[in-house]
């Protein structure tokens, strides 16, 4: 067992794992309950992208004024409705649970690393810390980019799109929250590309030359993924989503090349 000084039995390992998982569960529940109790603050954050004065829209308005568009972005108003008797309570519960998981995730990463570290050699611990830390930061970066950029642009387009002036948009709270949470999760996972590429390179499954050779194919796949994440016909939004994913791919090539030299 790697760098451990004391050999533990299977049941002792199982007990250690159970203790770690229990601590993670308790902390997650604590954060989830706190999020549930602070309902107003929680949904002020979650519902902020639907407001015309959201920071993203204000910044885009300022950017537009620099290029001669003094009127800023057109104002918009999208009303959310509830169509189910228990839907608001259920959505409140789900949102609180998701918030608890996100808030407790640094502690969960710490507990998992604490559990596996005795079985690792010193250099393996060093890599494990890098992978865990980088993976968490990249995931949260993906969530932040989705919340502040991708989702607001998507919501503004789809929420105000009309096939006819006779048809009003009344977006359900369930649709809004489901789209927001799903998109944030997908972008968080997509941002794990460098970590996954590094792991595959360490295992010998991926080469930098291979990634360079199929760069054009990767760009096509990135555009398809971006189109799925943001199902709009807006080229600007598609570009905004595709750009960070492409940059991650290019960064992954450098990471894989460096990993090859370390093997």
């Amino acid at each position: 067992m790697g760098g451990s000084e004391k050999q533990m039995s299977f049941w002792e390992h199982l007990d250690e794992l159970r203790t770690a998982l229990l601590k993670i569960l308790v902390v997650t529940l604590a954060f989830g309950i706190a999020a549930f109790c602070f309902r107003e603050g929680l949904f002020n954050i979650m519902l902020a992208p639907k407001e015309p004065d959201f920071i993203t829209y204000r910044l885009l308005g300022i950017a537009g004024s620099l290029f001669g568009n003094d009127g800023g972005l057109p104002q918009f108003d999208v009303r959310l409705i509830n169509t189910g008797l228990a839907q608001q309570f259920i959505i409140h519960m789900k949102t609180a649970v998701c918030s608890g998981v996100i808030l407790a995730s640094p502690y969960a990463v710490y507990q998992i690393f604490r559990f596996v570290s005795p079985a690792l050699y010193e250099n393996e611990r060093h890599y494990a810390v890098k992978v865990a830390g980088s993976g968490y930061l990249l995931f949260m970066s993906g969530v932040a980019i989705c919340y502040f950029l991708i989702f607001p642009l998507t919501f503004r387009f789809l929420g105000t799109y009309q096939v006819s002036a006779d048809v009003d948009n009344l977006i359900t709270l369930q649709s809004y929250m489901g789209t927001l949470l799903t998109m944030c999760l997908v972008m968080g996972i997509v941002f794990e590309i460098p970590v996954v590429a590094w792991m595959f390179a360490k295992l010998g499954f991926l080469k930098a030359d291979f990634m360079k050779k199929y760069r054009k194919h990767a760009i096509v796949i990135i555009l398809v993924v971006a189109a799925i994440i943001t199902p709009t016909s807006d080229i600007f939004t598609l570009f905004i989503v595709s750009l960070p994913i492409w940059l991650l791919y290019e960064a992954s090539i450098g990471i894989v090349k460096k990993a090859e030299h370390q093997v």
Side-chain angles (χ1 to χ4, degrees):
M1 292 286 289
S4 63
E5 297 179 359
K6 177 184 175 182
Q7 295 293 332
M8 298 175 64
S9 69
F10 170 78
W11 296 110
E12 288 175 326
H13 279 297
L14 192 61
D15 187 57
E16 286 283 330
L17 177 61
R18 183 171 60 247
T19 301
L21 293 177
L22 183 60
K23 288 179 179 179
I24 293 171
L25 179 61
V26 169
V27 172
T28 301
L29 285 175
F31 276 118
I33 292 171
F36 185 87
C37 293
F38 291 96
R39 179 186 61 187
E40 185 174 350
L42 175 63
F43 280 91
N44 281 342
I45 295 172
M46 293 296 177
L47 300 179
K50 81 176 186 64
E51 301 298 334
D53 62 345
F54 186 58
I55 184 171
T56 301
Y57 308 136
R58 286 191 277 117
L59 291 176
L60 288 175
I62 294 172
S65 65
L66 295 177
F67 292 95
N69 183 13
D70 296 330
L73 291 178
Q75 290 294 307
F76 74 102
D77 180 31
V78 178
R79 180 185 172 193
L80 298 183
I81 62 171
N82 177 57
T83 58
L85 181 63
Q87 277 302 318
Q88 292 204 53
F89 179 75
I90 293 172
I91 290 170
H92 185 190
M93 290 281 290
K94 288 181 178 179
T95 307
V97 170
C98 290
S99 301
V101 171
I102 292 174
L103 292 171
S105 54
Y107 181 76
V109 171
Y110 164 74
Q111 283 295 333
I112 293 171
F113 175 76
R114 189 169 176 269
F115 172 73
V116 301
S117 62
L120 302 176
Y121 292 105
E122 189 62 35
N123 63 325
E124 292 174 332
R125 288 197 193 102
H126 177 70
Y127 283 131
V129 171
K130 279 190 173 182
V131 170
S134 300
Y136 177 75
L137 290 176
L138 285 170
F139 180 85
M140 295 307 297
S141 296
V143 171
I145 288 175
C146 180
Y147 175 80
F148 285 106
L149 187 61
I150 297 173
F151 178 76
L153 295 177
T154 302
F155 176 78
R156 187 185 179 99
F157 175 82
L158 294 179
T160 59
Y161 184 85
Q162 290 178 286
V163 295
S164 170
D166 295 329
V167 182
D168 293 327
N169 285 330
L170 294 176
I171 312 300
T172 66
L173 178 63
Q174 182 180 12
S175 174
Y176 175 92
M177 292 300 300
T179 303
L180 173 59
L181 295 176
T182 300
M183 287 181 64
C184 285
L185 176 62
V186 170
M187 282 304 297
I189 294 173
V190 167
F191 265 60
E192 297 295 320
I193 290 174
V195 174
V196 174
W198 180 86
M199 292 177 65
F200 280 2
K202 280 293 183 181
L203 294 172
F205 297 151
L206 189 62
K207 301 292 183 182
D209 291 340
F210 175 86
M211 297 181 71
K212 291 177 182 178
K213 180 179 179 181
Y214 291 96
R215 180 184 272 119
K216 292 181 180 179
H217 300 77
I219 292 174
V220 173
I221 294 173
I222 288 170
L223 289 173
V224 171
V225 171
I228 293 173
I229 295 174
T230 56
T232 75
S233 59
D234 184 359
I235 299 299
F236 175 74
T237 304
L238 187 65
F239 173 76
I240 289 295
V241 178
S242 303
L243 180 61
I245 302 177
W246 173 70
L247 291 176
L248 286 171
Y249 183 83
E250 293 297 326
S252 298
I253 294 177
I255 292 171
V256 170
K257 188 174 182 179
K258 185 177 180 181
E260 289 175 6
H261 293 153
Q262 293 175 345
V263 174

